[in-house]
Amino acid sequence: MYTPEMLRLIEVVEQTREKRLQETFPRLTAEEKTNLLRSYHPDYMEGAMRPLKIGPNAGEKLPHAYVDLFESRSMIDADGLSLDDIAYDVDVLVIGGGGAGTAAALLAAEEGADVLLVTKLRHGDANTMMAEGGIQAADKENDSPALHYLDAMGGGGFYNIPELVRALVNDAPLCIQWLESLGCMFSKYPDGTMNTIHGGGTSRKRMHFAHDYTGAEIMRTLRDEARNRGIKVVEFSPAVELIKDERGQCAGAVLYNLETEQFLVARAKTVIIATGGSGRLHINDSPTTNHYGATADGLVIAYRAGAKLIYLDATQFHPTGVAFPEQIVGQLVTEKVRGLGAQLVNIDGEQFIYPLETRDAVSSAIIRECRERQKGIPVPSGYGVWLDSPMIEIIHGKGTIEKELPAMFRQYIRFGINMAEQPILVYPTLHYQNGGILINEFAETQVPNLYVAGEASGGVHGRNRLMGNSLLDIIVFGRRAGKNAAQKAKTVQLGKLTLEHVRRYNEELAKQGLGQRVAPILLPDYRGKISG
Amino acid sequence: MTAEKKTVSIYVMGKQSEVPYGVTIMKAMEYAGYRFIRGCGCRGGFCGACGTVYRKPGNFRLKVGLACATMVEDGMHLTQIPFYPANKAVYNLEALEPTLGTLLKYYPEITRCLGCNQCTRICPQELPVMNYIATAQRGDIEATAHQSFDCIMCGLCASRCPAEIVQYNVGILARRLYGRHIAPRAKHLAERVDEIRAGKFDAELDRLMQMSKEELQKLYNARDIEQ
Ligand SMILES: Cc1cc2nc3c(=O)[nH]c(=O)nc-3n(C[C@H](O)[C@H](O)[C@H](O)COP(=O)(O)OP(=O)(O)OC[C@H]3O[C@@H](n4cnc5c(N)ncnc54)[C@H](O)[C@@H]3O)c2cc1C
Ligand code: SF4
Ligand code: SF4
Ligand code: FES
């Protein structure tokens, strides 16, 4: 419920609405955008990072939260744990039961592999489940994979790895068709044509969606299919370390049963990490949109095993996180709200940025509007700006919000705010890990027989991912990882299992006086606090 | 605008805790010292991990909500139901027909519905659950698919059903039948897939991949944007 002061400020927004409906805010030039990012994007903030002292990326500056993790010691005693007692013995081990992991498991099973999927929470408790906005694919006549390539590159600051982007845009329509054939209910016109809209940084309307439950629809469909195919799933059993064999090949993982607190050995011929992102590290003390298990575990264990990281210093803040009400601060207001025409407006009822600039730019503009220009709207946690959602009803007709954005609408109505009639308050929130473990177009890492797919990987999106390219990424590279890992498994000969790499990493930490903390952290600890 | 600092008493499985007023059950439990393993997933109303039942003093009504989206109230007695055993049929979607017969083959128990409306009353997403089971009984797969679309599979409806129906699994079967066998396929998508398989875009992508950052940037800045 809005405060009386907020209700008064809403009148200002209403007064300028008519005029703004006719108005298109000018887009940033390339130079303006660079300057805006340099001055206001959290990545560029003084003191937010420090150089990492250990491992393949030693010397690179990363946000403190990541450095803390990589400079932590293992949960397990590498000498004490017996690797002879094998609980699971499979061809392909998939770590992480989100979209990427489930797609990988399905494809690996299709290749005839014996697959085990282990996950930290329940199967499907994942960032994938939360994605509202949509998934990109260039499948309309006025669009092409080449345009999609250009958009993804431009969005990523041209840092993206070309082979990965090519795979992304080339496989995109194939993946949408795969999902369609699995019964995903994409929003379509009566003749079957996909309903597609813009997202930030797209040059064509190529965002496919399923109302605003796009990720949930994909996730539950894949999960249902995995259950139909009889894929073995072990829940509440996160991987806490990779296992190698004496030849240096990845050969499985040590699992930790969260409920019985036992360690279990899973041996596998190939391993796929699909553990998702890291929002729950609360980089910069920011609230986050991410699910409870987004704690970068996969990065930690892969790094100890010798895999290289890329662009982990580029964190994506989603420009529109909830700024009010307090109960849901930091949660996502999907970009689709802007895609459908809602503008960003300051305390005086004026626009200050073209609403569909790339996310880094919009976030920076909101921060500037509040910090430097002092035109934010005060909320208990700091500041917010208005997102003028009622414009959607004017542009697309009454009832559009409830129909197209039921999850959003419900989220606000629960707390007494009707976003179809009242604008909402937003502020940037920690959203996406742009970088991750470096992979190639086959989803391989530099560690033999270790694959990575999804948000845990890095390189696909350069330094800034576009909306709709991540749901796409998890399907494209989840499928590639599953298929390649299964084929590879057919020829793999495993030697004796070892945790030598963990022992050596711990030694190196000790030598440098590091390793006071333990990682992966598995779950955030909010005891005694009110979390963001 | 400092909100009044008030606290309320909640009882988690009978144990009393004093927690701040105005926060969600999930955050209040954490404030009280709980660290979730089960009962917490997305923290945002999407995953259905946090179904919670509660009663308030002097009221016989059993209430329900998602811990991540329901505010604490003074005197609330609560417990989470993070898991409920459910019957899930195994099928090969491709080979199924979108008919009443299919629904009845896999979930014959839908015919046992008593029309008690408990499921609709309890659904935290406020879905017309009894209705979508009624449409399923009639073989109206499209209606069941649409009416159940916002289901987050929290399991609360099944926990209350005297006919032992697992409503949300009926829902997803209907949705997948609809998506695969009833909704028309996207023609433009099939055509694009054929073009990609035929290599129509390969040369252009090869060319883009060879370009320098500057060349790409020029193309990017000059690209026209669909209105
Ligand atoms: C609120 C929100 C909205 C979004 N909206 C969009 C959108 O509209 N479009 C888009 O393209 N993208 C969107 N994204 C991004 C996108 O959803 C994610 O990047 C993507 O789904 C990640 O998929 P994943 O499979 O890599 O990881 P996840 O889906 O997060 O899955 C990772 C899984 O691994 C498990 N796990 C973690 N650690 C371990 C461990 N140690 N051992 C075993 N298992 C582990 C986790 O519990 C989880 O189940 C959104 C993200 C969020 C949070
Ligand atoms: S229909 Fe049942 S499972 Fe689905 S959200 Fe409602 S109560 Fe939960
Ligand atoms: S709870 Fe069960 S019996 Fe009652 S209306 Fe719902 S489906 Fe029918
Ligand atoms: S934690 Fe996912 S719905 Fe509440």
Side-chain angles (χ1 to χ4, degrees):
Chain A
M1 208 105 81
Y2 283 125
T3 63
E5 174 61 11
M6 288 170 179
L7 290 174
R8 196 185 62 72
L9 290 171
I10 288 177
E11 286 172 22
V12 180
V13 178
E14 284 167 350
Q15 277 157 17
T16 61
R17 191 174 290 146
E18 191 104 4
K19 186 167 134 266
R20 279 184 289 106
L21 274 163
Q22 316 302 328
E23 207 175 82
T24 307
F25 200 84
R27 291 200 173 94
L28 296 171
T29 63
E31 198 191 332
E32 283 168 345
K33 183 167 155 180
T34 311
N35 290 337
L36 182 62
L37 295 183
R38 284 271 142 75
S39 309
Y40 296 98
H41 196 276
D43 282 355
Y44 294 96
M45 270 193 324
E46 265 321 297
M49 304 195 195
R50 70 175 194 266
L52 180 58
K53 290 193 187 141
I54 186 167
N57 290 66
E60 275 178 35
K61 274 192 169 181
L62 292 181
H64 296 297
Y66 288 122
V67 179
D68 287 349
L69 281 190
F70 296 126
E71 294 182 352
S72 296
R73 66 178 192 279
S74 175
M75 264 178 87
I76 57 180
D77 169 7
D79 297 319
L81 187 87
S82 162
L83 297 179
D84 299 332
D85 194 3
I86 292 171
Y88 306 99
D89 203 359
V90 293
D91 295 331
V92 179
L93 173 67
V94 181
I95 303 174
T102 311
L106 284 169
L107 265 284
E110 215 170 283
E111 289 293 314
D114 181 18
V115 186
L116 173 69
L117 187 150
V118 299
T119 192
K120 183 159 63 181
L121 302 165
R122 301 179 314 170
H123 188 187
D125 290 349
N127 279 355
T128 303
M129 197 59 111
M130 308 184 74
E132 301 172 32
I135 176 167
Q136 290 198 38
D139 61 13
K140 293 273 174 89
E141 214 181 332
N142 70 347
D143 202 356
S144 77
L147 282 169
H148 191 177
Y149 182 96
L150 207 53
D151 286 348
M153 278 288 189
F158 304 96
Y159 290 101
N160 322 45
I161 295 174
E163 288 73 17
L164 298 181
V165 184
R166 185 198 184 122
L168 184 80
V169 302
N170 185 75
D171 287 12
L174 282 58
C175 288
I176 301 287
Q177 195 180 50
W178 183 59
L179 293 171
E180 186 190 47
S181 77
L182 289 172
C184 258
M185 275 174 66
F186 286 110
S187 297
K188 289 179 173 180
Y189 294 103
D191 70 346
T193 302
M194 293 277 181
N195 194 347
T196 52
I197 60 171
H198 269 303
T202 54
S203 62
R204 294 292 181 272
K205 294 182 180 170
R206 72 169 79 87
M207 193 71 62
H208 302 61
F209 54 92
H211 302 284
D212 61 349
Y213 284 100
T214 312
E217 174 64 357
I218 291 173
M219 186 70 242
R220 64 198 181 189
T221 300
L222 295 180
R223 180 175 60 192
D224 194 63
E225 189 62 12
R227 288 175 181 164
N228 284 345
R229 301 276 178 95
I231 289 171
K232 272 178 293 183
V233 175
V234 182
E235 299 179 325
F236 297 98
S237 299
V240 297
E241 217 60 83
L242 291 173
I243 299 173
K244 288 189 172 183
D245 75 357
E246 58 205 345
R247 288 171 230 167
Q249 312 183 96
C250 190
V254 178
L255 315 178
Y256 178 66
N257 183 326
L258 285 171
E259 289 168 315
T260 64
E261 303 186 358
Q262 286 164 305
F263 291 109
L264 295 166
V265 173
R267 179 166 68 179
K269 296 187 176 127
T270 51
V271 177
I272 301 170
I273 287 184
T275 49
S278 51
R280 290 282 152 194
L281 299 181
H282 296 292
I283 291 162
N284 263 335
D285 289 328
S286 176
T288 182
T289 59
N290 284 193
H291 86 290
Y292 189 46
T295 51
D297 305 351
L299 303 187
V300 176
I301 62 179
Y303 194 64
R304 283 185 190 142
K308 228 181 130 90
L309 306 167
I310 184 170
Y311 305 144
L312 202 54
D313 56 330
T315 304
Q316 183 166 88
F317 287 81
H318 194 291
T320 59
V322 175
F324 186 88
E326 268 294 277
Q327 290 87 354
I328 51 171
V329 162
Q331 283 179 28
L332 182 70
V333 176
T334 169
E335 191 163 298
K336 204 173 148 195
V337 177
R338 281 173 288 140
L340 287 168
Q343 296 170 345
L344 288 159
V345 174
N346 65 19
I347 195 165
D348 298 328
E350 307 154 342
Q351 290 198 77
F352 54 89
I353 183 85
Y354 176 70
L356 290 177
E357 296 282 356
T358 53
R359 287 182 174 173
D360 45 2
V362 179
S363 293
S364 303
I366 295 175
I367 293 171
R368 177 180 63 188
E369 204 63 14
C370 294
R371 289 227 190 111
E372 183 192 282
R373 299 183 178 164
Q374 300 282 320
K375 290 201 171 178
I377 293 91
V379 297
S381 54
Y383 286 96
V385 296
W386 295 113
L387 181 56
D388 197 8
S389 47
M391 291 181 70
I392 296 174
E393 302 270 297
I394 300 174
I395 298 170
H396 300 280
K398 235 180 145 44
T400 305
I401 293 190
E402 225 186 312
K403 183 160 158 276
E404 290 300 335
L405 302 160
M408 287 279 24
F409 183 77
R410 186 176 279 126
Q411 191 176 23
Y412 276 98
I413 267 299
R414 278 177 178 140
F415 299 101
I417 291 169
N418 182 342
M419 66 180 286
E421 290 170 6
Q422 297 169 312
I424 54 183
L425 284 163
V426 297
Y427 196 78
T429 177
L430 177 52
H431 187 53
Y432 184 77
Q433 173 189 297
N434 287 309
I437 304 160
L438 176 65
I439 55 167
N440 65 15
E441 66 268 39
F442 308 107
E444 294 165 331
T445 66
Q446 288 158 327
V447 179
N449 302 349
L450 177 64
Y451 298 74
V452 181
E455 195 168 338
S457 75
V460 186
H461 308 290
R463 299 185 59 85
N464 177 55
R465 167 195 67 115
L466 296 185
M467 166 191 169
N469 273 352
S470 176
L471 282 179
L472 177 59
D473 162 11
I474 66 175
I475 305 300
V476 167
F477 289 96
R479 285 169 51 94
R480 284 182 175 230
K483 189 167 181 209
N484 295 334
Q487 282 173 355
K488 180 75 191 283
K490 288 175 188 162
T491 62
V492 171
Q493 296 291 331
L494 284 184
K496 192 172 157 35
L497 302 188
T498 163
L499 286 169
E500 184 54 25
H501 64 287
V502 178
R503 214 179 47 72
R504 259 187 286 131
Y505 197 90
N506 277 344
E507 260 174 30
E508 177 64 28
L509 284 170
K511 230 188 272 167
Q512 299 206 41
L514 303 170
Q516 282 75 17
R517 297 189 187 79
V518 173
I521 60 169
L522 303 180
L523 296 172
D525 189 354
Y526 298 135
R527 285 174 293 186
K529 295 185 243 181
I530 296 292
S531 69
Chain B
M1 89 191 43
T2 45
E4 255 181 89
K5 286 267 178 275
K6 275 197 291 184
T7 62
V8 296
S9 261
I10 61 167
Y11 298 80
V12 180
M13 293 178 281
K15 190 187 267 175
Q16 191 256 354
S17 290
E18 202 70 17
V19 298
Y21 170 79
V23 301
T24 58
I25 293 173
M26 180 165 284
K27 292 186 183 184
M29 283 179 69
E30 288 171 335
Y31 179 85
Y34 291 84
R35 190 178 188 186
F36 292 104
I37 293 177
R38 288 187 185 260
C40 174
C42 65
R43 302 174 74 90
F46 285 96
C47 74
C50 66
T52 302
V53 292
Y54 62 93
R55 279 198 161 96
K56 290 194 288 176
N59 191 337
F60 74 92
R61 281 272 180 200
L62 185 69
K63 303 252 232 168
V64 52
L66 300 172
C68 66
T70 308
M71 280 208 273
V72 286
E73 292 176 62
D74 200 29
M76 207 178 218
H77 279 253
L78 63 90
T79 189
Q80 288 196 299
I81 307 187
F83 179 84
Y84 202 79
N87 168 35
K88 144 95 183 98
V90 167
Y91 40 82
N92 173 3
L93 185 73
E94 203 182 318
L96 298 187
E97 287 191 29
T99 59
L100 175 61
T102 298
L103 293 180
L104 289 177
K105 174 171 171 213
Y106 291 106
Y107 295 111
E109 62 273 23
I110 57 175
T111 59
R112 299 175 60 209
C113 172
L114 312 169
C116 70
N117 209 32
Q118 280 295 325
C119 47
T120 300
R121 215 179 62 71
I122 205 165
C123 175
Q125 292 286 85
E126 294 172 14
L127 302 183
V129 191
M130 179 175 81
N131 258 27
Y132 81 63
I133 294 300
T135 51
Q137 282 175 341
R138 293 200 300 271
D140 188 345
I141 288 169
E142 181 167 352
T144 304
H146 287 298
Q147 288 180 24
S148 70
F149 187 82
D150 295 359
C151 169
I152 56 174
M153 305 181 91
C154 69
L156 287 168
C157 49
S159 80
R160 299 288 284 157
C161 178
E164 296 154 304
I165 297 167
V166 180
Q167 295 88 335
Y168 53 95
N169 279 343
V170 178
I172 193 166
L173 172 56
R175 290 196 300 277
R176 293 193 64 194
L177 284 171
Y178 176 78
R180 160 91 201 195
H181 296 292
I182 298 177
R185 294 297 179 95
K187 213 167 130 256
H188 59 93
L189 174 61
E191 286 166 6
R192 180 55 45 89
V193 166
D194 288 343
E195 289 172 344
I196 287 175
R197 293 229 162 95
K200 181 174 168 189
F201 305 100
D202 288 352
E204 205 179 352
L205 286 170
D206 284 341
R207 208 159 42 81
L208 287 173
M209 282 175 66
Q210 299 313 318
M211 282 190 188
S212 70
K213 181 178 167 180
E214 287 66 36
E215 287 172 296
L216 272 179
Q217 203 152 21
K218 236 204 230 131
L219 273 186
Y220 180 75
N221 291 336
R223 78 208 200 289
D224 70 301
I225 295 184
E226 182 182 359
Q227 287 305 314

